[in-house]
Amino acid sequence: MSDRLADAALSGEELVRWVVDLWRSLIDLPDIDADTHLLDVPASSLTAVRMRSRIQSELGKEIDLIDILDHPTPREMAELIARAPAWTGEQPWPEDDWSTTEDD
């Protein structure tokens, strides 16, 4: 069995519980439930980035950061994740060449 939970095909209430556990671990607040609103807990933009990263790495799903704000409860986020496409690992921006040149 793979390390990724995507292979387990979480769905329904099982996926909601996974998202609740994710929030509890990232926000360090044990009394989060499926209907807790993101703005009611001490979360930040960095929390959203971490959520997205865990969703990608553990569930193999692609979620835009703005979608996290548009789906601000674990229950809504689970529904979003269930519909989300598979994460390909590709970056949404082109690779830039940050090397310096000696043309100065």
Side-chain angles (χ1 to χ4, degrees):
M1 185 169 149
S2 170
D3 290 342
R4 285 186 26 188
L5 293 174
D7 293 341
L10 296 177
S11 63
E13 286 302 311
E14 192 175 41
L15 184 55
V16 172
R17 280 192 300 276
W18 184 88
V19 176
V20 168
D21 290 342
L22 171 66
W23 282 36
R24 287 177 179 168
S25 70
L26 293 176
I27 299 170
D28 195 27
L29 196 61
D31 55 341
I32 289 173
D33 64 32
D35 298 309
T36 300
H37 196 284
L38 193 58
L39 297 179
D40 293 335
V41 295
S44 66
S45 58
L46 183 55
T47 306
V49 169
R50 289 178 175 152
M51 285 179 184
R52 180 177 186 243
S53 177
R54 293 269 302 272
I55 291 165
Q56 289 174 334
S57 67
E58 295 181 28
L59 298 180
K61 295 289 194 144
E62 179 62 40
I63 302 292
D64 289 332
L65 284 174
I66 194 68
D67 287 335
I68 291 173
L69 298 176
D70 288 341
H71 299 82
T73 69
R75 187 177 313 282
E76 292 175 20
M77 191 177 293
E79 292 170 7
L80 171 71
I81 293 168
R83 297 188 314 266
W87 180 54
T88 63
E90 294 180 17
Q91 298 299 329
W93 57 86
E95 292 291 326
D96 289 330
D97 181 6
W98 293 93
S99 61
T100 58
T101 61
E102 299 293 323
D103 293 358
D104 295 325

